[in-house]
Amino acid sequence: MSFLDQEFREIITKAVIGKGRKFTQDTNTITPTHKPSSILGCWIINHLYHAKRKGDGLVEVNGSYDVNVWYSYNDNTKTEVVTERISYQDLIKLAVKDKHTLGDEEKVYAKVLQQPNCLECNISQHDKKIVVEAEREFLVEVIGDTKVTVKVDPNGMVLDDDDLDLELSDDEFDSVDTDFLSKNQKD
């Protein structure tokens, strides 16, 4: 029996060979130029990130974002916005790993499931700094070459496009309901 007569074939293809997910909450301390009286608003913008493979079962996501805090000072008579760039590094463990990978050429994709978001913003009582709690969540996928096995039907037919009958007969064509849009709009 030759190789082509066997019931199974191996196919090499690109596929997801690793996948992981991580939710993170951070607490950051912002130093304003004045002693704050109250917090008027807090928002996070300018999120940038990059992911790379780090070892066998990890992906490292390095990123940064700007935290903007609008606060009042001088007994709530004046306001100011303080902006601080926050950098982070998330190590994400791969929960799914393909053991049948081939080669070492891989691409790492990171998708933000939850953009960095301010959960809470308060004035620290002991040193009059601003404490910002933020959250973020990532999904990472590692794409690489892997081997899959498929079953071959030894009696299977090889179809050509010419073998397929894609034409409608007159009876089939006449039975097509052309008024289906107005029926759905009445419901």
Side-chain angles (χ1 to χ4, degrees):
M1 178 188 303
S2 78
F3 170 75
L4 296 175
D5 294 331
Q6 294 181 6
E7 287 187 46
F8 293 94
R9 298 273 166 72
E10 293 177 328
I11 297 174
I12 296 173
T13 186
K14 291 209 177 294
V16 175
I17 60 172
K19 190 181 261 193
R21 182 178 181 161
K22 184 173 184 181
F23 176 80
T24 305
Q25 287 185 330
D26 279 341
T27 302
N28 302 292
T29 303
I30 311 264
T31 305
T33 53
H34 305 284
K35 181 180 169 184
S37 300
S38 63
I39 302 298
L40 304 173
C42 181
W43 60 98
I44 296 175
I45 60 172
N46 300 329
H47 182 218
L48 301 170
Y49 62 92
H50 175 71
K52 65 181 178 181
R53 187 79 183 255
K54 189 82 172 179
D56 185 40
L58 291 174
V59 169
E60 179 181 86
V61 177
N62 292 302
S64 62
Y65 52 83
D66 292 336
V67 176
N68 295 298
V69 179
W70 181 31
Y71 68 98
S72 67
Y73 62 97
N74 200 13
D75 290 327
N76 293 319
T77 60
K78 296 183 180 183
T79 67
E80 184 175 77
V81 175
V82 62
T83 300
E84 197 162 309
R85 189 91 179 139
I86 304 294
S87 296
Y88 64 87
Q89 180 183 65
D90 287 341
L91 289 175
I92 302 174
K93 187 175 179 182
L94 297 177
V96 176
K97 291 184 280 183
D98 187 347
K99 295 175 180 56
H100 303 289
T101 60
L102 304 171
D104 54 1
E105 198 172 310
E106 302 169 340
K107 289 189 178 184
V108 178
Y109 295 99
K111 179 181 178 183
V112 178
L113 299 177
Q114 170 67 54
Q115 286 286 349
N117 181 41
C118 178
L119 294 172
E120 195 168 342
C121 185
N122 295 311
I123 301 169
S124 172
Q125 294 304 320
H126 57 84
D127 57 5
K128 298 302 180 189
K129 293 187 179 183
I130 299 172
V131 178
V132 177
E133 288 183 43
E135 67 180 356
R136 64 183 173 272
E137 186 174 15
F138 280 99
L139 172 71
V140 293
E141 293 181 330
V142 180
I143 310 294
D145 290 332
T146 188
K147 190 185 295 186
V148 295
T149 303
V150 296
K151 183 173 171 91
V152 178
D153 183 1
N155 301 320
M157 297 177 6
V158 177
L159 294 177
D160 193 353
D161 287 345
D162 297 335
D163 296 336
L164 298 174
D165 182 21
L166 300 176
E167 297 291 323
L168 288 176
S169 69
D170 288 339
D171 291 338
E172 291 172 321
F173 190 73
D174 289 338
S175 68
V176 173
D177 182 10
T178 59
D179 197 28
F180 64 91
L181 283 178
S182 62
K183 289 179 184 176
N184 286 340
Q185 291 174 351
K186 291 177 186 174
D187 294 338

